[in-house]
Amino acid sequence: MAARIRTMKPSFWGSPEVAGMSRDARLLTLGLISNADDDGRFLASIAAISGSVYPNDELPPSRVRAWLTEVIDSGMVHQYRCGAVVYGCFPSWHKHQVINRYTPSTLPEPDVECHPRKTGKGVSDQ
């Protein structure tokens, strides 16, 4: 998956979902946003997250798992399985991200409805 530029709205920091998370869970959220594909999906195993978000840190898996649990409990991320593989997605991804050269996800669709991608040049930021 090619790295893409992502945007963060200033309102992210004051949102109720983020306000309820620890500082480390907020950092994890930013890392997951940075690594998600154009449909807001990502591999959500602890090993995959550690490798993509914390490639230069030796963190105990239990710590990363605790932060991920905070992010999931906030409602910002939804975790789902397809067979033995664990995935994650941001249900409101297309509401917040502008995608100019959209590439469809190669990861399985989540078992929740996400905001649909709008057609046209990009996804508008509403």
Side-chain angles (χ1 to χ4, degrees), residues 1-2 4 7 29 32 44 56 64 66 72 91 96 100 105 116 121:
M1 175 180 346
R4 301 298 293 266
T7 57
T29 303
L32 294 174
N56 298 305
V64 177
I72 292 168
H96 298 287
N100 291 319
S105 182
K121 185 174 180 180

Side-chain angles (χ1 to χ4, degrees), residues 10-87:
S11 60
F12 169 85
W13 301 104
S15 70
E17 298 87 358
V18 173
M21 287 187 233
S22 67
R23 181 189 60 228
D24 292 320
R26 285 181 235 148
L27 177 62
L28 174 59
T29 303
L30 294 176
L32 294 174
I33 290 168
S34 297
N35 285 284
D37 66 18
D38 285 354
D39 281 317
R41 300 177 199 164
F42 56 91
L43 289 171
S45 70
I46 299 306
I49 290 171
S50 294
S52 63
V53 178
Y54 304 107
N56 298 305
D57 299 310
E58 292 185 26
L59 295 169
S62 60
R63 187 172 295 167
V64 177
R65 186 173 295 109
W67 297 333
L68 179 60
T69 298
E70 282 186 65
V71 177
I72 292 168
D73 288 349
S74 78
M76 290 192 73
V77 162
H78 172 71
Q79 194 174 55
Y80 63 103
R81 287 186 174 274
C82 187
V85 182
V86 180
Y87 299 94

Side-chain angles (χ1 to χ4, degrees), residues 17 24 28 36 47 81 88 92-93 106 112 114 119:
E17 298 87 358
D24 292 320
L28 174 59
R81 287 186 174 274
S92 60
W93 182 259
T106 60
V112 295
C114 294
T119 58

